[in-house]
Amino acid sequence: MPGKKKAQQDLDFTLRRVFGKQSFRPLQREVITAALDREDVFLQAATSFGKSLCFQLPAIVDYGIISPLLALMNNQVASMRAANVKVATINSTTPPSAKNAILEDLQCGHPLTRLLYVTPEFCTLDHFRKILRVIHSQRELSRIAIDEAHCISEWGHDFRPSFKSLSFFKREFPDVPMMCLTATATARVREDIITTLALDPAKLKLFTMTTSRPNLHYEVRFKSDEEDHYSDFLAWLRAAHARRTTNPARADQLAALNQRADNVPGIIYTLFRRDCESLAARLRADGIGAKPYHAGLPHTERADALAGWVENRAGYDVIVATTAFGMGIDKENVRFVVHWQIPKSLEGFYQEAGRAGRDGKAGVCILYYGREDRDRAANMMARDNARREPAFRESVGAGAVVQQAQVMGRAKSLQALVAYCENTAGCRHEAIAKYFGEQAKPPCEWACDWCKDAVGLVRRKEKGLASEEWCSTQREMGTYTVNEYD
Ligand code: ZN
């Protein structure tokens, strides 16, 4: 059909003109076409897939779109603005005057705003819903995109209560298509998302891509409370620096990309705020440009750390952050992601580690695992559950079942991650694929510690971990009850 061909050409043109990219990655065109055909779309794809393009591009081709996107992503907003696309965001940091201007524009009948990013909490407000109804009646509400859709599921690891009321969209605006995007969803989480949003599974266009990231190197390094693993990390980082600076071809390549050869951009995730600052200071004392990032820091300091890091500025090579950092940040040249201790879930680990190597070049994902940390994490989870206990007792029937399931889901995900760390009998890429229910064996060409050197892995584990006997004594003595998460 000539019409269809024209539309495809428009997509290519917009991709080049607005996003400065020469071609689509596999499946992106199909997802975008389905969205423009006004289908409900569910896209599950690895972190490097380029999911945001799938709702950003339709917002430009299909004039007049307003997409409440349910994850706050200032970095995305900034990059869309740099491409001269009129986007807006309403969140807790938006000044009232700016907020009013956005809301006025939305209601005017011919809004200039093409994409609106809002939080799920904002979507529960009556006055915002009223405005959405006005926009809809003016036929200007073209699509609703929900990013990080796994958060919707009560079986997922990152559930937020305000997601529960999102069935509002399909109920009120059955003719407005929805897009759900996520990197991680087991079959059960996927079903739950679909039910929560009141989507019709029979009509839904489902696109699933493998979770495999062959350019990432997964590695578990073993630690114990006995020994500080800082020197191990510093030695690794210095070696990584040396490989870049002593290779003239690589240095030329980096210079052509306007990147410093001595910059190895990375993220270190830690569970504790106090570690962010002390670890960043320690690295700086050793000549590494490191900045802390956590919710307790002043807004200006956080914004500066993020901007410097995204722009590859000197002194901003490594961000030491709590787990909130990185959602929606589109930085392609992250060369490593390190977990300073075991994170709370396998989903969380996969997503955070997945922020490395989005440019398709090699990225290293190191998880420092210690059995004392494992016991601390389990303790913290138990305490968290106990805090919610009164609410459990009050809820009855289905509510209680759901809450029970949430507790089980979190515990299972931590258990799965512990098993991943303790495992010395198989490929890490394969273990991750299995967890997400994939049948096919993912490729791994020496891209994990087991495939690279299984014998050495066993030896390092024996040497590096505290014994189970010792840990069980510590548990009995109640050693691991002092720390608090953020
Ligand atoms: Zn492997």
Side-chain angles (χ1 to χ4, degrees):
M1 278 185 298
K4 230 177 184 149
K5 196 167 173 210
K6 165 89 175 50
Q8 294 295 348
Q9 282 168 351
D10 283 352
L11 291 188
D12 290 323
F13 178 71
T14 310
L15 184 73
R16 281 196 305 274
R17 184 182 58 90
V18 181
F19 297 94
K21 295 191 167 137
Q22 289 311 307
S23 58
F24 286 102
R25 292 185 192 160
L27 214 68
Q28 275 181 333
R29 183 195 293 279
E30 289 81 349
V31 174
I32 290 167
T33 305
L36 290 171
D37 288 343
R38 303 187 62 74
E39 307 270 11
D40 289 333
V41 171
F42 191 107
L43 168 64
Q44 184 181 329
T47 31
S48 64
F49 175 84
K51 286 189 288 298
S52 42
L53 184 81
C54 295
F55 57 81
Q56 288 172 340
L57 199 146
I60 292 152
V61 175
D62 189 359
Y63 187 76
I65 282 178
I66 298 156
S67 295
L69 182 89
L70 303 176
L72 169 60
M73 297 183 171
N74 281 325
N75 187 251
Q76 275 198 24
V77 170
S79 63
M80 291 289 278
R81 277 194 189 137
N84 275 324
V85 180
K86 179 100 170 125
V87 292
T89 173
I90 297 179
N91 59 70
S92 56
T93 64
T94 314
S97 58
K99 192 162 106 184
N100 290 338
I102 294 164
L103 295 178
E104 246 167 59
D105 173 58
L106 294 179
Q107 296 176 87
C108 75
H110 304 285
L112 296 171
T113 307
R114 309 293 281 264
L115 262 169
L116 174 67
Y117 289 74
V118 292
T119 57
E121 287 75 16
F122 196 68
C123 293
T124 61
L125 301 178
D126 276 342
H127 86 274
F128 182 61
R129 290 185 172 189
K130 217 178 269 171
I131 289 166
L132 282 178
R133 285 185 198 107
V134 174
I135 303 164
H136 180 245
S137 71
Q138 291 164 340
R139 297 176 178 279
E140 296 283 352
L141 182 65
S142 303
R143 185 165 297 104
I144 291 151
I146 299 184
D147 207 353
E148 312 286 355
H150 56 274
C151 299
I152 289 176
S153 171
E154 288 161 321
W155 319 98
H157 67 294
D158 212 4
F159 177 67
R160 289 155 70 180
S162 45
F163 278 115
K164 276 211 73 152
S165 62
L166 294 177
S167 60
F168 155 83
F169 288 116
K170 213 59 198 175
R171 222 173 42 239
E172 288 250 350
F173 316 120
D175 57 321
V176 176
M178 286 190 106
M179 280 185 104
C180 306
L181 308 103
T182 177
T184 53
T186 57
R188 188 184 207 182
V189 169
R190 191 163 64 223
E191 276 164 35
D192 200 32
I193 294 168
I194 293 167
T195 317
T196 306
L197 293 174
L199 294 170
D200 181 352
K203 287 196 205 142
L204 190 67
K205 288 264 179 192
L206 182 69
F207 296 93
T208 54
M209 295 280 283
T210 168
T211 52
S212 162
R213 298 281 310 278
N215 63 315
L216 296 188
H217 179 95
Y218 293 117
E219 189 176 335
V220 175
R221 292 193 175 206
F222 303 100
K223 68 184 276 270
S224 72
D225 282 2
E226 289 290 285
E227 217 173 322
D228 181 8
H229 58 302
Y230 176 80
S231 54
D232 179 78
F233 170 70
L234 188 65
W236 175 84
L237 186 59
R238 288 205 163 133
H241 272 263
R243 276 195 300 277
R244 277 161 80 107
T245 44
T246 53
N247 178 348
R250 184 82 188 110
D252 287 349
Q253 222 177 11
L254 289 164
L257 291 165
N258 218 1
Q259 288 176 20
R260 288 177 295 118
D262 62 345
N263 174 23
V264 183
I267 310 172
I268 301 174
Y269 282 110
T270 160
L271 291 175
F272 309 106
R273 284 182 185 181
R274 58 174 183 277
D275 283 359
C276 290
E277 274 150 279
S278 60
L279 183 52
R282 220 170 155 187
L283 286 165
R284 279 198 303 277
D286 279 316
I288 309 290
K291 297 278 175 192
Y293 189 104
H294 62 75
L297 290 171
H299 180 69
T300 46
E301 201 178 324
R302 268 186 292 160
D304 175 68
L306 178 59
W309 183 70
V310 168
E311 293 160 14
N312 300 311
R313 256 188 261 154
Y316 293 77
D317 301 354
V318 180
I319 292 278
V320 188
T322 49
T323 50
F325 178 78
M327 220 195 226
I329 287 168
D330 189 19
K331 182 171 167 67
E332 295 207 324
N333 66 335
V334 179
R335 296 278 65 92
F336 69 87
V337 171
V338 167
H339 283 87
W340 206 244
Q341 59 276 98
I342 189 169
K344 294 183 210 175
S345 68
L346 205 148
E347 281 92 342
F349 164 70
Y350 172 77
Q351 283 217 324
E352 286 150 12
R355 288 172 189 140
R358 292 197 181 182
D359 51 9
K361 300 194 180 81
V364 177
C365 310
I366 298 174
L367 195 167
Y368 280 100
Y369 169 71
R371 285 180 178 148
E372 300 92 330
D373 291 341
R374 169 200 66 188
D375 291 347
R376 270 190 279 271
N379 242 338
M380 229 68 80
M381 191 177 281
R383 192 187 308 177
D384 209 39
N385 290 338
R387 211 176 295 149
R388 296 171 199 214
E389 179 99 11
F392 283 12
R393 275 199 301 274
E394 276 167 36
S395 60
V396 285
V401 172
V402 163
Q403 274 162 340
Q404 203 52 47
Q406 255 179 277
V407 171
M408 301 273 292
R410 278 196 296 267
K412 259 181 122 171
S413 186
L414 178 61
Q415 268 166 24
L417 186 57
V418 169
Y420 169 92
C421 295
E422 291 270 351
N423 182 25
T424 52
C427 170
R428 307 260 179 224
H429 285 269
E430 209 178 324
I432 291 170
K434 253 194 200 148
Y435 179 77
F436 290 116
E438 282 174 38
Q439 308 295 329
K441 195 172 176 292
C444 178
E445 286 182 42
W446 297 284
C448 81
D449 49 6
W450 186 80
C451 291
K452 212 172 158 190
D453 176 14
V455 177
L457 178 68
V458 173
R459 201 182 50 234
R460 285 193 300 276
K461 184 181 168 188
E462 274 168 13
K463 207 170 139 244
L465 287 179
S467 73
E468 289 291 14
E469 293 75 31
W470 195 82
C471 289
S472 100
T473 323
Q474 296 304 304
R475 281 199 299 272
E476 278 160 28
M477 285 161 55
T479 309
Y480 307 125
T481 53
V482 281
N483 291 303
E484 279 281 356
Y485 285 139
D486 286 322

